[in-house]
Amino acid sequence: MFKKLKTKIVTSLFSAILLTSLFIDYASAASYTYLNQDVTAYTAPAGSLTYYGTTPQKYKTAAVHPKTCGSPSSGTIFPFGAVIKTSTVLKTPSGTSMQYFTVEDMGDVFCSRGLTRQWFDIYFGYTSSDINQAKLFGIKTVSYTVTY
């Protein structure tokens, strides 16, 4: 009787551990918060691809500095696919709300624009209206969390 109970307990415990391990993300994502960073807007000609070879998505694609200023082959300071979430909602001059962005591009390769190190640039599109909206967006200061 005691042996059967012990076997049931051990089996149940083992099953619970095994089942739990299926739902734990052992490679959990790292998150970092950056305060008071510059955010700008950019445009690109129709059909352009990002640094990582993707098609940029309006108000979603983000460009960041290279790991080593002046060296595009060094990669970007945040890896491809990292998600940036701003602490406040950003708005385009026409009123579109934005808060989540995906790192897919590299910008300011020489880090010569005087922007903060963890600056990011939001893709605004390619039409003349998009170019005007990007210029009007200017430079904003925002805090954000990046997860990868």
Side-chain angles (χ1 to χ4, degrees):
M1 170 93 166
F2 180 68
K3 191 171 182 171
K4 282 186 175 182
L5 183 58
K6 185 177 174 184
T7 303
K8 278 187 173 185
I9 291 172
V10 170
T11 303
S12 295
L13 200 54
F14 179 73
S15 296
I17 291 169
L18 183 62
L19 190 58
T20 303
S21 69
L22 295 174
F23 297 101
I24 296 175
D25 181 10
Y26 290 104
S28 60
S31 292
Y32 302 93
T33 299
Y34 297 95
L35 305 176
N36 303 316
Q37 296 298 308
D38 294 329
V39 178
T40 57
Y42 77 105
T43 59
S48 295
L49 297 179
T50 67
Y51 172 78
Y52 288 104
T54 62
T55 300
Q57 301 300 308
K58 190 173 184 176
Y59 308 135
K60 298 286 181 203
T61 296
V64 296
H65 281 126
K67 286 180 185 174
T68 303
C69 292
S71 177
S73 62
S74 67
T76 52
I77 59 168
F78 303 133
F80 171 75
V83 175
I84 295 171
K85 179 186 181 239
T86 57
S87 59
T88 56
V89 174
L90 297 171
K91 291 201 181 269
T92 66
S94 63
T96 301
S97 296
M98 308 173 291
Q99 192 170 22
Y100 291 89
F101 310 93
T102 303
V103 174
E104 296 182 67
D105 211 350
M106 180 187 293
D108 193 21
V109 175
F110 295 98
C111 307
S112 60
R113 292 177 50 204
L115 302 166
T116 55
R117 183 66 180 135
Q118 284 79 29
W119 146 94
F120 71 95
D121 209 6
I122 305 165
Y123 177 70
F124 266 49
Y126 60 87
T127 67
S128 58
S129 175
D130 296 332
I131 293 167
N132 187 48
Q133 290 288 301
K135 287 177 184 175
L136 291 171
F137 184 79
I139 299 175
K140 308 277 186 248
T141 301
V142 68
S143 296
Y144 67 85
T145 300
V146 62
T147 304
Y148 49 91

